[in-house]
Amino acid sequence: MSQTRTREPGELFGSRMTLFADMLSVGLATTVACLPLLTAPAALSTACAVLRGAGEGRPATAGRYATLLRRRLGLADLAAGALALAVLLLSTADLALARTGLPGGPLFTRAATVIATGAVLIGLRTCARPESLTGWRRALRAAAHDTVHDPGGTALILLALVTAAASAWALPPLVFLTPGPLALALTAVDVRLAARRN
């Protein structure tokens, strides 16, 4: 049975279009918040929290995003950003070194690509966890467990990441908006898994 909802005053296109617009504004705010690089995990985690709140009746606006990010950004968040940046730089250096013609380079390249992809997926799932707002360790443990034990959700996140990268590659200005749809996809996968557990 379909459930119809009347539009609020001033709402031109309905709740789905409002969520779409909010997602894009949160994505743009996330892009700006990620510019210092060390703030990227906290920025994405905050975007997921704001979009999760939209499903619970709280506004998903760039203003709420900025308030929540300012309130939670601390030393642990910067340390998480430094760790993510270090892993990214190390993976890039390893892959560049493997392509220089060293013995066993192709095999190492494949192994390093699988490991780096796994680390990125765990990192993204960590940002989607509600626990990431208060403590990265618990969120990281839960995300590693979810990455292994929810292969369907992990595949959906990989697909969302590939789609975001392809969109940004095909139309470079979209790079400023892609964190919004990516955060929405991460949040949807986490909410889906939580609903299956209950």
Side-chain angles (χ1 to χ4, degrees), residues 63-121:
R64 183 167 181 271
Y65 173 86
T67 302
L68 190 58
L69 182 64
R70 201 175 319 118
R71 193 179 311 148
R72 63 96 35 113
L73 197 59
L75 194 57
D77 294 312
L78 296 177
L83 178 64
L85 189 59
V87 168
L88 179 67
L89 291 174
L90 183 63
S91 298
T92 303
D94 283 347
L95 289 171
L97 187 62
R99 292 188 182 130
T100 60
L102 292 174
L107 180 62
F108 178 79
T109 300
R110 284 188 214 105
T113 301
V114 168
I115 292 169
T117 303
V120 167
L121 291 171

Side-chain angles (χ1 to χ4, degrees), residues 94-168:
D94 283 347
L95 289 171
L97 187 62
R99 292 188 182 130
T100 60
L102 292 174
L107 180 62
F108 178 79
T109 300
R110 284 188 214 105
T113 301
V114 168
I115 292 169
T117 303
V120 167
L121 291 171
I122 290 171
L124 290 173
R125 286 196 92 142
T126 301
C127 290
R129 298 288 303 186
E131 297 95 341
S132 66
L133 289 173
T134 55
W136 287 103
R137 286 186 183 159
R138 277 187 342 150
L140 181 62
R141 274 195 296 271
H145 178 271
D146 293 347
T147 301
V148 173
H149 292 93
D150 180 29
T154 301
L156 287 172
I157 289 174
L158 183 59
L159 182 62
L161 184 62
V162 168
T163 303
S167 298

Side-chain angles (χ1 to χ4, degrees), residues 167-168 171-179:
S167 298
L171 199 57
L174 286 181
V175 76
F176 300 110
L177 299 175
T178 53

